[in-house]
Amino acid sequence: MNWVNLTPHTINIVGVGEIPPSGIVARVEMTERVFATMGRVPIIARKPKRVIGLPEPELGTIFLVSSMVLDGLGKRANRNDVFVPDTGNTAIRNENGQIVAVTRLVGVP
C-alpha cells in the first residue's frame, strides 16, 4: 500500500506509522460573495468550486487529505482512495492536547 499525504503536516497513523507531507497540497478552490456587513466588516458566504492538487486514482495508493478537500469532493466523486485522519475522540493527544497520532480514517461510503 502506498500512502500519499496531500496535507502540509506529517500524519501519524497507529499501525501504519508516520506519513510525511508529499510536497503536493490538495486544496478546495472557493467562490465567495459578500451578503452582509457588520459595521465595516464584510460577511461572506463560501461555496466549494473545485478541488485542486488531487492526483488521479492510482492502483494501491491511498491519498490523505484535509476534511475540507473530502467535503469538496462530495459523494458523487466516487473516490474510495481518499481519506481524512479522524481527529475526533479516538485521536491520541499529548499532554498539551495536540494530536500525535490517529487510530482511524474518515472516508465517503
Side-chain angles (χ1 to χ4, degrees):
M1 187 71 51
N2 182 33
W3 296 81
V4 178
N5 180 353
L6 300 174
T7 78
H9 312 285
T10 297
I11 297 172
N12 187 3
I13 303 172
V14 173
V16 175
E18 286 190 356
I19 302 158
S22 67
I24 300 167
V25 178
R27 300 217 181 267
V28 179
E29 200 172 76
M30 306 292 271
T31 58
E32 299 178 349
R33 70 175 178 83
V34 176
F35 70 91
T37 58
M38 189 177 301
R40 294 183 185 180
V41 179
I43 309 299
I44 65 167
R46 286 188 176 149
K47 182 178 176 185
K49 186 175 178 182
R50 66 183 177 121
V51 172
I52 53 176
L54 179 63
E56 291 297 318
E58 297 176 29
L59 188 61
T61 299
I62 298 296
F63 296 104
L64 299 172
V65 299
S66 69
S67 58
M68 184 178 265
V69 169
L70 189 65
D71 291 346
L73 284 174
K75 293 181 180 181
R76 295 183 195 156
N78 198 24
R79 294 287 302 255
N80 60 2
D81 60 339
V82 179
F83 298 93
V84 172
D86 182 4
T87 58
N89 61 0
T90 63
I92 299 169
R93 297 176 184 271
N94 66 16
E95 60 278 355
N96 297 321
Q98 298 167 317
I99 295 171
V100 295
V102 298
T103 60
R104 307 186 304 187
L105 298 174
V106 178
V108 177

